[in-house]
Amino acid sequence: ITIIILIMTLFYMYFRSLTSSYTSTSSVAAVDTDIPPLQEKYDVFLSFRGEDTRDAFTSHLHKALLGKKIETYMDYRLEKGDDIGPALLEAIEKSKIALVIFSKDYASSTWCLKELVHILGCKKSYGQIVIPIFYRIDPSHVRKQQGTYALEDRPLKRSSRDEVANWRAALEEAANMSGFHYSSRTG
């Protein structure tokens, strides 16, 4: 609970300070490039491995964000094994900020990996803010793809080599971003 309060306080201050500068920057970017401006629907998109964090950390974070009047997308409708649907991709694209909650088995989900690649694409195309949270996982394991993040140690069904290469690059890029690290086994 303490870590959630800390993250919420920091995130709330960070979010509020960026809201005004993000709006003015995005209108300038729309004038200078051919990229259409985003029509934001959500303040925050939560990317997470449901089995690891849905009923604990992520649900508490979601509730706290909503309590601060921060419009947050947390998907409750998608089932294991489903493809990432157009609605989910649209939710990512229409979010100002993406919180990526790296947990022990995040990289075991091709769904999470596809989300991450799409999120980083939105960062590049639209200037979406991406904040990683390392939940009970060492950021270096994500960056170096060790332990449960070692993609070559297990078969990834129906995944091309190019797709796996994109996932590896996305994991490394995201792990090199400044974020939050929560490693305590309690709370």
Side-chain angles (χ1 to χ4, degrees), residues 16-63:
R16 292 299 174 217
S17 70
L18 291 174
T19 303
S20 61
S21 65
Y22 181 79
T23 303
S24 63
T25 313
S26 64
S27 62
V28 170
V31 171
D32 294 340
T33 67
D34 292 333
I35 299 171
L38 280 179
Q39 303 246 332
E40 286 110 6
K41 183 175 181 178
Y42 304 102
D43 296 317
V44 176
F45 178 89
L46 296 175
S47 176
F48 62 98
R49 174 80 167 142
E51 293 174 6
D52 288 356
T53 68
R54 180 185 303 275
D55 295 328
F57 181 81
T58 303
S59 62
H60 294 298
L61 179 60
H62 181 247
K63 182 178 179 182

mmCIF file of all heavy atoms in Angstrom, residues 16-63:
data_model
loop_
_atom_site.group_PDB
_atom_site.id
_atom_site.type_symbol
_atom_site.label_atom_id
_atom_site.label_comp_id
_atom_site.label_asym_id
_atom_site.label_seq_id
_atom_site.Cartn_x
_atom_site.Cartn_y
_atom_site.Cartn_z
ATOM 1 N N ARG A 16 0.182 16.247 -13.540
ATOM 2 C CA ARG A 16 -0.355 17.605 -13.527
ATOM 3 C C ARG A 16 0.635 18.605 -14.111
ATOM 4 O O ARG A 16 0.241 19.535 -14.788
ATOM 5 C CB ARG A 16 -0.765 18.024 -12.110
ATOM 6 C CG ARG A 16 -1.963 17.258 -11.596
ATOM 7 C CD ARG A 16 -3.168 17.508 -12.472
ATOM 8 N NE ARG A 16 -4.262 16.658 -12.062
ATOM 9 C CZ ARG A 16 -5.130 16.097 -12.877
ATOM 10 N NH1 ARG A 16 -5.061 16.295 -14.155
ATOM 11 N NH2 ARG A 16 -6.083 15.322 -12.427
ATOM 12 N N SER A 17 1.935 18.419 -13.871
ATOM 13 C CA SER A 17 2.920 19.352 -14.419
ATOM 14 C C SER A 17 3.060 19.186 -15.927
ATOM 15 O O SER A 17 3.421 20.118 -16.627
ATOM 16 C CB SER A 17 4.277 19.162 -13.745
ATOM 17 O OG SER A 17 4.856 17.942 -14.132
ATOM 18 N N LEU A 18 2.759 18.001 -16.455
ATOM 19 C CA LEU A 18 2.898 17.755 -17.882
ATOM 20 C C LEU A 18 1.662 18.118 -18.680
ATOM 21 O O LEU A 18 1.756 18.340 -19.881
ATOM 22 C CB LEU A 18 3.216 16.283 -18.138
ATOM 23 C CG LEU A 18 4.588 15.827 -17.688
ATOM 24 C CD1 LEU A 18 4.697 14.326 -17.867
ATOM 25 C CD2 LEU A 18 5.670 16.536 -18.461
ATOM 26 N N THR A 19 0.522 18.171 -18.069
ATOM 27 C CA THR A 19 -0.722 18.381 -18.795
ATOM 28 C C THR A 19 -0.684 19.655 -19.630
ATOM 29 O O THR A 19 -0.976 19.638 -20.816
ATOM 30 C CB THR A 19 -1.914 18.418 -17.830
ATOM 31 O OG1 THR A 19 -1.937 17.208 -17.097
ATOM 32 C CG2 THR A 19 -3.220 18.583 -18.576
ATOM 33 N N SER A 20 -0.286 20.748 -19.048
ATOM 34 C CA SER A 20 -0.276 22.003 -19.802
ATOM 35 C C SER A 20 0.823 22.017 -20.848
ATOM 36 O O SER A 20 0.612 22.455 -21.968
ATOM 37 C CB SER A 20 -0.136 23.190 -18.863
ATOM 38 O OG SER A 20 1.081 23.102 -18.163
ATOM 39 N N SER A 21 2.011 21.510 -20.528
ATOM 40 C CA SER A 21 3.091 21.524 -21.513
ATOM 41 C C SER A 21 2.827 20.528 -22.626
ATOM 42 O O SER A 21 3.176 20.761 -23.771
ATOM 43 C CB SER A 21 4.440 21.232 -20.851
ATOM 44 O OG SER A 21 4.467 19.926 -20.335
ATOM 45 N N TYR A 22 2.179 19.397 -22.333
ATOM 46 C CA TYR A 22 1.869 18.396 -23.356
ATOM 47 C C TYR A 22 0.876 18.950 -24.373
ATOM 48 O O TYR A 22 1.029 18.780 -25.561
ATOM 49 C CB TYR A 22 1.309 17.122 -22.719
ATOM 50 C CG TYR A 22 0.990 16.058 -23.726
ATOM 51 C CD1 TYR A 22 2.005 15.276 -24.266
ATOM 52 C CD2 TYR A 22 -0.309 15.841 -24.167
ATOM 53 C CE1 TYR A 22 1.731 14.311 -25.214
ATOM 54 C CE2 TYR A 22 -0.591 14.880 -25.108
ATOM 55 C CZ TYR A 22 0.442 14.104 -25.619
ATOM 56 O OH TYR A 22 0.162 13.153 -26.556
ATOM 57 N N THR A 23 -0.124 19.648 -23.910
ATOM 58 C CA THR A 23 -1.128 20.204 -24.809
ATOM 59 C C THR A 23 -0.507 21.204 -25.770
ATOM 60 O O THR A 23 -0.744 21.149 -26.969
ATOM 61 C CB THR A 23 -2.248 20.896 -23.988
ATOM 62 O OG1 THR A 23 -2.788 19.943 -23.092
ATOM 63 C CG2 THR A 23 -3.331 21.435 -24.893
ATOM 64 N N SER A 24 0.339 22.095 -25.276
ATOM 65 C CA SER A 24 0.950 23.078 -26.167
ATOM 66 C C SER A 24 1.955 22.422 -27.098
ATOM 67 O O SER A 24 2.070 22.792 -28.251
ATOM 68 C CB SER A 24 1.614 24.196 -25.356
ATOM 69 O OG SER A 24 2.664 23.671 -24.578
ATOM 70 N N THR A 25 2.700 21.405 -26.640
ATOM 71 C CA THR A 25 3.669 20.721 -27.485
ATOM 72 C C THR A 25 2.976 19.937 -28.580
ATOM 73 O O THR A 25 3.428 19.936 -29.722
ATOM 74 C CB THR A 25 4.518 19.735 -26.642
ATOM 75 O OG1 THR A 25 4.957 20.393 -25.482
ATOM 76 C CG2 THR A 25 5.703 19.245 -27.429
ATOM 77 N N SER A 26 1.872 19.267 -28.269
ATOM 78 C CA SER A 26 1.205 18.462 -29.284
ATOM 79 C C SER A 26 0.601 19.334 -30.379
ATOM 80 O O SER A 26 0.578 18.939 -31.528
ATOM 81 C CB SER A 26 0.129 17.568 -28.654
ATOM 82 O OG SER A 26 -0.878 18.343 -28.080
ATOM 83 N N SER A 27 0.149 20.542 -30.050
ATOM 84 C CA SER A 27 -0.393 21.397 -31.094
ATOM 85 C C SER A 27 0.718 21.920 -31.996
ATOM 86 O O SER A 27 0.530 22.060 -33.192
ATOM 87 C CB SER A 27 -1.191 22.549 -30.486
ATOM 88 O OG SER A 27 -0.361 23.354 -29.688
ATOM 89 N N VAL A 28 1.908 22.162 -31.444
ATOM 90 C CA VAL A 28 3.045 22.579 -32.260
ATOM 91 C C VAL A 28 3.475 21.435 -33.166
ATOM 92 O O VAL A 28 3.741 21.612 -34.345
ATOM 93 C CB VAL A 28 4.227 23.034 -31.365
ATOM 94 C CG1 VAL A 28 5.483 23.230 -32.192
ATOM 95 C CG2 VAL A 28 3.869 24.305 -30.634
ATOM 96 N N ALA A 29 3.528 20.204 -32.625
ATOM 97 C CA ALA A 29 3.927 19.044 -33.417
ATOM 98 C C ALA A 29 2.978 18.822 -34.579
ATOM 99 O O ALA A 29 3.405 18.449 -35.666
ATOM 100 C CB ALA A 29 3.979 17.802 -32.530
ATOM 101 N N ALA A 30 1.698 19.070 -34.372
ATOM 102 C CA ALA A 30 0.725 18.864 -35.443
ATOM 103 C C ALA A 30 0.942 19.859 -36.572
ATOM 104 O O ALA A 30 0.705 19.540 -37.730
ATOM 105 C CB ALA A 30 -0.692 18.983 -34.888
ATOM 106 N N VAL A 31 1.424 21.036 -36.259
ATOM 107 C CA VAL A 31 1.672 22.037 -37.284
ATOM 108 C C VAL A 31 2.942 21.709 -38.058
ATOM 109 O O VAL A 31 3.010 21.863 -39.265
ATOM 110 C CB VAL A 31 1.790 23.453 -36.634
ATOM 111 C CG1 VAL A 31 2.257 24.472 -37.645
ATOM 112 C CG2 VAL A 31 0.470 23.850 -36.027
ATOM 113 N N ASP A 32 3.979 21.207 -37.349
ATOM 114 C CA ASP A 32 5.277 20.981 -37.952
ATOM 115 C C ASP A 32 5.397 19.671 -38.721
ATOM 116 O O ASP A 32 6.335 19.485 -39.464
ATOM 117 C CB ASP A 32 6.374 21.002 -36.880
ATOM 118 C CG ASP A 32 6.515 22.397 -36.267
ATOM 119 O OD1 ASP A 32 6.073 23.361 -36.910
ATOM 120 O OD2 ASP A 32 7.063 22.484 -35.160
ATOM 121 N N THR A 33 4.492 18.730 -38.564
ATOM 122 C CA THR A 33 4.614 17.425 -39.190
ATOM 123 C C THR A 33 3.308 17.016 -39.849
ATOM 124 O O THR A 33 2.305 17.688 -39.727
ATOM 125 C CB THR A 33 4.996 16.353 -38.145
ATOM 126 O OG1 THR A 33 3.896 16.202 -37.259
ATOM 127 C CG2 THR A 33 6.248 16.716 -37.377
ATOM 128 N N ASP A 34 3.359 15.872 -40.510
ATOM 129 C CA ASP A 34 2.164 15.323 -41.129
ATOM 130 C C ASP A 34 1.392 14.399 -40.189
ATOM 131 O O ASP A 34 0.410 13.803 -40.581
ATOM 132 C CB ASP A 34 2.538 14.544 -42.394
ATOM 133 C CG ASP A 34 3.062 15.485 -43.475
ATOM 134 O OD1 ASP A 34 2.682 16.664 -43.470
ATOM 135 O OD2 ASP A 34 3.849 15.011 -44.313
ATOM 136 N N ILE A 35 1.863 14.247 -38.964
ATOM 137 C CA ILE A 35 1.219 13.360 -38.008
ATOM 138 C C ILE A 35 -0.037 14.043 -37.472
ATOM 139 O O ILE A 35 0.037 15.159 -36.953
ATOM 140 C CB ILE A 35 2.162 13.011 -36.840
ATOM 141 C CG1 ILE A 35 3.398 12.292 -37.370
ATOM 142 C CG2 ILE A 35 1.443 12.166 -35.796
ATOM 143 C CD1 ILE A 35 4.472 12.095 -36.325
ATOM 144 N N PRO A 36 -1.186 13.377 -37.603
ATOM 145 C CA PRO A 36 -2.409 13.999 -37.092
ATOM 146 C C PRO A 36 -2.377 14.066 -35.571
ATOM 147 O O PRO A 36 -1.825 13.193 -34.919
ATOM 148 C CB PRO A 36 -3.518 13.057 -37.573
ATOM 149 C CG PRO A 36 -2.842 11.758 -37.803
ATOM 150 C CD PRO A 36 -1.420 12.067 -38.174
ATOM 151 N N PRO A 37 -2.959 15.111 -34.985
ATOM 152 C CA PRO A 37 -2.982 15.201 -33.524
ATOM 153 C C PRO A 37 -3.860 14.098 -32.943
ATOM 154 O O PRO A 37 -4.840 13.686 -33.557
ATOM 155 C CB PRO A 37 -3.591 16.581 -33.256
ATOM 156 C CG PRO A 37 -4.347 16.909 -34.496
ATOM 157 C CD PRO A 37 -3.650 16.217 -35.622
ATOM 158 N N LEU A 38 -3.464 13.621 -31.791
ATOM 159 C CA LEU A 38 -4.251 12.594 -31.112
ATOM 160 C C LEU A 38 -5.511 13.204 -30.517
ATOM 161 O O LEU A 38 -5.510 14.336 -30.074
ATOM 162 C CB LEU A 38 -3.447 11.988 -29.963
ATOM 163 C CG LEU A 38 -2.430 10.937 -30.323
ATOM 164 C CD1 LEU A 38 -1.719 10.467 -29.062
ATOM 165 C CD2 LEU A 38 -3.067 9.766 -31.017
ATOM 166 N N GLN A 39 -6.548 12.416 -30.516
ATOM 167 C CA GLN A 39 -7.777 12.802 -29.842
ATOM 168 C C GLN A 39 -7.812 11.973 -28.558
ATOM 169 O O GLN A 39 -8.321 10.856 -28.550
ATOM 170 C CB GLN A 39 -8.976 12.471 -30.726
ATOM 171 C CG GLN A 39 -8.893 13.123 -32.075
ATOM 172 C CD GLN A 39 -9.980 14.146 -32.249
ATOM 173 O OE1 GLN A 39 -11.030 14.038 -31.663
ATOM 174 N NE2 GLN A 39 -9.709 15.147 -33.035
ATOM 175 N N GLU A 40 -7.206 12.508 -27.499
ATOM 176 C CA GLU A 40 -7.065 11.742 -26.272
ATOM 177 C C GLU A 40 -8.416 11.443 -25.639
ATOM 178 O O GLU A 40 -9.291 12.281 -25.592
ATOM 179 C CB GLU A 40 -6.191 12.471 -25.252
ATOM 180 C CG GLU A 40 -4.735 12.457 -25.600
ATOM 181 C CD GLU A 40 -4.240 13.833 -26.013
ATOM 182 O OE1 GLU A 40 -5.012 14.805 -25.913
ATOM 183 O OE2 GLU A 40 -3.096 13.930 -26.457
ATOM 184 N N LYS A 41 -8.525 10.216 -25.171
ATOM 185 C CA LYS A 41 -9.711 9.777 -24.461
ATOM 186 C C LYS A 41 -9.349 9.441 -23.020
ATOM 187 O O LYS A 41 -10.159 9.597 -22.122
ATOM 188 C CB LYS A 41 -10.298 8.558 -25.169
ATOM 189 C CG LYS A 41 -11.583 8.048 -24.566
ATOM 190 C CD LYS A 41 -12.168 6.932 -25.393
ATOM 191 C CE LYS A 41 -13.473 6.458 -24.792
ATOM 192 N NZ LYS A 41 -14.096 5.398 -25.588
ATOM 193 N N TYR A 42 -8.118 8.955 -22.830
ATOM 194 C CA TYR A 42 -7.652 8.538 -21.503
ATOM 195 C C TYR A 42 -6.414 9.332 -21.122
ATOM 196 O O TYR A 42 -5.596 9.673 -21.963
ATOM 197 C CB TYR A 42 -7.302 7.045 -21.499
ATOM 198 C CG TYR A 42 -8.439 6.164 -21.942
ATOM 199 C CD1 TYR A 42 -8.460 5.631 -23.227
ATOM 200 C CD2 TYR A 42 -9.504 5.886 -21.093
ATOM 201 C CE1 TYR A 42 -9.510 4.834 -23.650
ATOM 202 C CE2 TYR A 42 -10.555 5.094 -21.517
ATOM 203 C CZ TYR A 42 -10.557 4.566 -22.793
ATOM 204 O OH TYR A 42 -11.595 3.791 -23.211
ATOM 205 N N ASP A 43 -6.277 9.569 -19.841
ATOM 206 C CA ASP A 43 -5.045 10.165 -19.346
ATOM 207 C C ASP A 43 -3.957 9.097 -19.290
ATOM 208 O O ASP A 43 -2.812 9.354 -19.624
ATOM 209 C CB ASP A 43 -5.257 10.764 -17.948
ATOM 210 C CG ASP A 43 -6.251 11.916 -17.962
ATOM 211 O OD1 ASP A 43 -6.164 12.755 -18.874
ATOM 212 O OD2 ASP A 43 -7.121 11.961 -17.067
ATOM 213 N N VAL A 44 -4.350 7.891 -18.853
ATOM 214 C CA VAL A 44 -3.379 6.820 -18.605
ATOM 215 C C VAL A 44 -3.871 5.489 -19.165
ATOM 216 O O VAL A 44 -5.050 5.149 -19.020
ATOM 217 C CB VAL A 44 -3.117 6.659 -17.086
ATOM 218 C CG1 VAL A 44 -2.182 5.500 -16.795
ATOM 219 C CG2 VAL A 44 -2.571 7.940 -16.486
ATOM 220 N N PHE A 45 -2.959 4.754 -19.779
ATOM 221 C CA PHE A 45 -3.209 3.380 -20.204
ATOM 222 C C PHE A 45 -2.312 2.491 -19.352
ATOM 223 O O PHE A 45 -1.113 2.744 -19.244
ATOM 224 C CB PHE A 45 -2.856 3.181 -21.689
ATOM 225 C CG PHE A 45 -3.054 1.768 -22.157
ATOM 226 C CD1 PHE A 45 -4.285 1.360 -22.655
ATOM 227 C CD2 PHE A 45 -2.025 0.847 -22.077
ATOM 228 C CE1 PHE A 45 -4.473 0.050 -23.066
ATOM 229 C CE2 PHE A 45 -2.210 -0.465 -22.492
ATOM 230 C CZ PHE A 45 -3.440 -0.859 -22.981
ATOM 231 N N LEU A 46 -2.886 1.456 -18.736
ATOM 232 C CA LEU A 46 -2.110 0.519 -17.924
ATOM 233 C C LEU A 46 -1.818 -0.746 -18.724
ATOM 234 O O LEU A 46 -2.732 -1.441 -19.166
ATOM 235 C CB LEU A 46 -2.885 0.135 -16.655
ATOM 236 C CG LEU A 46 -3.171 1.250 -15.660
ATOM 237 C CD1 LEU A 46 -4.035 0.737 -14.523
ATOM 238 C CD2 LEU A 46 -1.875 1.843 -15.123
ATOM 239 N N SER A 47 -0.530 -1.039 -18.908
ATOM 240 C CA SER A 47 -0.098 -2.276 -19.556
ATOM 241 C C SER A 47 0.482 -3.165 -18.465
ATOM 242 O O SER A 47 1.423 -2.768 -17.768
ATOM 243 C CB SER A 47 0.965 -1.981 -20.618
ATOM 244 O OG SER A 47 1.454 -3.184 -21.181
ATOM 245 N N PHE A 48 -0.053 -4.371 -18.317
ATOM 246 C CA PHE A 48 0.358 -5.244 -17.218
ATOM 247 C C PHE A 48 0.032 -6.687 -17.547
ATOM 248 O O PHE A 48 -0.783 -6.974 -18.420
ATOM 249 C CB PHE A 48 -0.360 -4.843 -15.926
ATOM 250 C CG PHE A 48 -1.854 -4.988 -16.011
ATOM 251 C CD1 PHE A 48 -2.491 -6.111 -15.502
ATOM 252 C CD2 PHE A 48 -2.635 -4.000 -16.599
ATOM 253 C CE1 PHE A 48 -3.872 -6.252 -15.596
ATOM 254 C CE2 PHE A 48 -4.011 -4.132 -16.695
ATOM 255 C CZ PHE A 48 -4.633 -5.259 -16.194
ATOM 256 N N ARG A 49 0.657 -7.613 -16.840
ATOM 257 C CA ARG A 49 0.368 -9.041 -16.955
ATOM 258 C C ARG A 49 -0.675 -9.348 -15.891
ATOM 259 O O ARG A 49 -0.395 -9.301 -14.695
ATOM 260 C CB ARG A 49 1.643 -9.849 -16.730
ATOM 261 C CG ARG A 49 1.455 -11.331 -16.694
ATOM 262 C CD ARG A 49 1.339 -11.908 -18.083
ATOM 263 N NE ARG A 49 1.471 -13.357 -18.006
ATOM 264 C CZ ARG A 49 0.779 -14.176 -18.734
ATOM 265 N NH1 ARG A 49 -0.091 -13.707 -19.611
ATOM 266 N NH2 ARG A 49 0.941 -15.471 -18.632
ATOM 267 N N GLY A 50 -1.882 -9.648 -16.325
ATOM 268 C CA GLY A 50 -3.002 -9.841 -15.412
ATOM 269 C C GLY A 50 -2.761 -10.861 -14.324
ATOM 270 O O GLY A 50 -3.087 -10.627 -13.166
ATOM 271 N N GLU A 51 -2.179 -11.996 -14.674
ATOM 272 C CA GLU A 51 -1.958 -13.051 -13.683
ATOM 273 C C GLU A 51 -1.013 -12.600 -12.570
ATOM 274 O O GLU A 51 -1.111 -13.078 -11.455
ATOM 275 C CB GLU A 51 -1.384 -14.296 -14.358
ATOM 276 C CG GLU A 51 -2.356 -14.966 -15.300
ATOM 277 C CD GLU A 51 -1.724 -16.118 -16.066
ATOM 278 O OE1 GLU A 51 -0.564 -16.481 -15.807
ATOM 279 O OE2 GLU A 51 -2.417 -16.658 -16.951
ATOM 280 N N ASP A 52 -0.096 -11.687 -12.887
ATOM 281 C CA ASP A 52 0.891 -11.240 -11.902
ATOM 282 C C ASP A 52 0.372 -10.142 -10.988
ATOM 283 O O ASP A 52 0.670 -10.130 -9.799
ATOM 284 C CB ASP A 52 2.143 -10.687 -12.606
ATOM 285 C CG ASP A 52 2.997 -11.752 -13.263
ATOM 286 O OD1 ASP A 52 2.688 -12.949 -13.128
ATOM 287 O OD2 ASP A 52 3.980 -11.370 -13.922
ATOM 288 N N THR A 53 -0.382 -9.199 -11.554
ATOM 289 C CA THR A 53 -0.662 -7.979 -10.776
ATOM 290 C C THR A 53 -2.106 -7.496 -10.774
ATOM 291 O O THR A 53 -2.427 -6.557 -10.050
ATOM 292 C CB THR A 53 0.204 -6.816 -11.289
ATOM 293 O OG1 THR A 53 -0.218 -6.451 -12.603
ATOM 294 C CG2 THR A 53 1.685 -7.148 -11.282
ATOM 295 N N ARG A 54 -2.982 -8.087 -11.577
ATOM 296 C CA ARG A 54 -4.345 -7.546 -11.718
ATOM 297 C C ARG A 54 -5.076 -7.397 -10.386
ATOM 298 O O ARG A 54 -5.677 -6.363 -10.111
ATOM 299 C CB ARG A 54 -5.192 -8.407 -12.648
ATOM 300 C CG ARG A 54 -6.625 -7.860 -12.805
ATOM 301 C CD ARG A 54 -7.543 -8.727 -13.623
ATOM 302 N NE ARG A 54 -7.060 -8.995 -14.944
ATOM 303 C CZ ARG A 54 -7.230 -8.194 -16.008
ATOM 304 N NH1 ARG A 54 -7.872 -7.059 -15.868
ATOM 305 N NH2 ARG A 54 -6.765 -8.537 -17.181
ATOM 306 N N ASP A 55 -5.061 -8.420 -9.557
ATOM 307 C CA ASP A 55 -5.860 -8.400 -8.334
ATOM 308 C C ASP A 55 -5.141 -7.773 -7.141
ATOM 309 O O ASP A 55 -5.683 -7.767 -6.040
ATOM 310 C CB ASP A 55 -6.295 -9.821 -7.973
ATOM 311 C CG ASP A 55 -7.225 -10.397 -9.025
ATOM 312 O OD1 ASP A 55 -7.989 -9.628 -9.649
ATOM 313 O OD2 ASP A 55 -7.177 -11.627 -9.246
ATOM 314 N N ALA A 56 -3.971 -7.244 -7.360
ATOM 315 C CA ALA A 56 -3.230 -6.637 -6.258
ATOM 316 C C ALA A 56 -2.758 -5.246 -6.665
ATOM 317 O O ALA A 56 -3.537 -4.300 -6.674
ATOM 318 C CB ALA A 56 -2.055 -7.531 -5.851
ATOM 319 N N PHE A 57 -1.524 -5.142 -7.052
ATOM 320 C CA PHE A 57 -0.909 -3.856 -7.350
ATOM 321 C C PHE A 57 -1.682 -3.053 -8.391
ATOM 322 O O PHE A 57 -2.010 -1.889 -8.182
ATOM 323 C CB PHE A 57 0.543 -4.085 -7.812
ATOM 324 C CG PHE A 57 1.276 -2.820 -8.127
ATOM 325 C CD1 PHE A 57 1.834 -2.074 -7.108
ATOM 326 C CD2 PHE A 57 1.404 -2.375 -9.431
ATOM 327 C CE1 PHE A 57 2.509 -0.896 -7.388
ATOM 328 C CE2 PHE A 57 2.074 -1.201 -9.726
ATOM 329 C CZ PHE A 57 2.625 -0.460 -8.698
ATOM 330 N N THR A 58 -1.963 -3.649 -9.546
ATOM 331 C CA THR A 58 -2.577 -2.897 -10.642
ATOM 332 C C THR A 58 -3.980 -2.422 -10.303
ATOM 333 O O THR A 58 -4.340 -1.278 -10.603
ATOM 334 C CB THR A 58 -2.570 -3.732 -11.942
ATOM 335 O OG1 THR A 58 -1.219 -4.108 -12.239
ATOM 336 C CG2 THR A 58 -3.118 -2.939 -13.104
ATOM 337 N N SER A 59 -4.775 -3.255 -9.667
ATOM 338 C CA SER A 59 -6.136 -2.816 -9.324
ATOM 339 C C SER A 59 -6.111 -1.682 -8.295
ATOM 340 O O SER A 59 -6.925 -0.754 -8.379
ATOM 341 C CB SER A 59 -6.979 -3.982 -8.822
ATOM 342 O OG SER A 59 -6.437 -4.530 -7.640
ATOM 343 N N HIS A 60 -5.154 -1.728 -7.361
ATOM 344 C CA HIS A 60 -5.032 -0.638 -6.384
ATOM 345 C C HIS A 60 -4.560 0.648 -7.059
ATOM 346 O O HIS A 60 -5.057 1.738 -6.758
ATOM 347 C CB HIS A 60 -4.070 -1.017 -5.261
ATOM 348 C CG HIS A 60 -4.557 -2.146 -4.411
ATOM 349 N ND1 HIS A 60 -5.716 -2.067 -3.659
ATOM 350 C CD2 HIS A 60 -4.053 -3.385 -4.199
ATOM 351 C CE1 HIS A 60 -5.897 -3.210 -3.023
ATOM 352 N NE2 HIS A 60 -4.910 -4.032 -3.339
ATOM 353 N N LEU A 61 -3.614 0.518 -7.980
ATOM 354 C CA LEU A 61 -3.125 1.679 -8.717
ATOM 355 C C LEU A 61 -4.257 2.290 -9.561
ATOM 356 O O LEU A 61 -4.464 3.496 -9.568
ATOM 357 C CB LEU A 61 -1.943 1.283 -9.608
ATOM 358 C CG LEU A 61 -1.319 2.380 -10.457
ATOM 359 C CD1 LEU A 61 -0.793 3.515 -9.593
ATOM 360 C CD2 LEU A 61 -0.197 1.791 -11.316
ATOM 361 N N HIS A 62 -5.003 1.433 -10.238
ATOM 362 C CA HIS A 62 -6.133 1.884 -11.056
ATOM 363 C C HIS A 62 -7.145 2.656 -10.209
ATOM 364 O O HIS A 62 -7.574 3.762 -10.575
ATOM 365 C CB HIS A 62 -6.781 0.663 -11.719
ATOM 366 C CG HIS A 62 -7.923 0.995 -12.602
ATOM 367 N ND1 HIS A 62 -9.222 0.626 -12.304
ATOM 368 C CD2 HIS A 62 -7.992 1.664 -13.784
ATOM 369 C CE1 HIS A 62 -10.020 1.052 -13.257
ATOM 370 N NE2 HIS A 62 -9.314 1.683 -14.167
ATOM 371 N N LYS A 63 -7.488 2.102 -9.078
ATOM 372 C CA LYS A 63 -8.457 2.745 -8.187
ATOM 373 C C LYS A 63 -7.929 4.098 -7.684
ATOM 374 O O LYS A 63 -8.668 5.082 -7.641
ATOM 375 C CB LYS A 63 -8.762 1.830 -6.997
ATOM 376 C CG LYS A 63 -9.789 2.383 -6.040
ATOM 377 C CD LYS A 63 -10.076 1.409 -4.913
ATOM 378 C CE LYS A 63 -11.078 1.994 -3.947
ATOM 379 N NZ LYS A 63 -11.329 1.090 -2.823
#
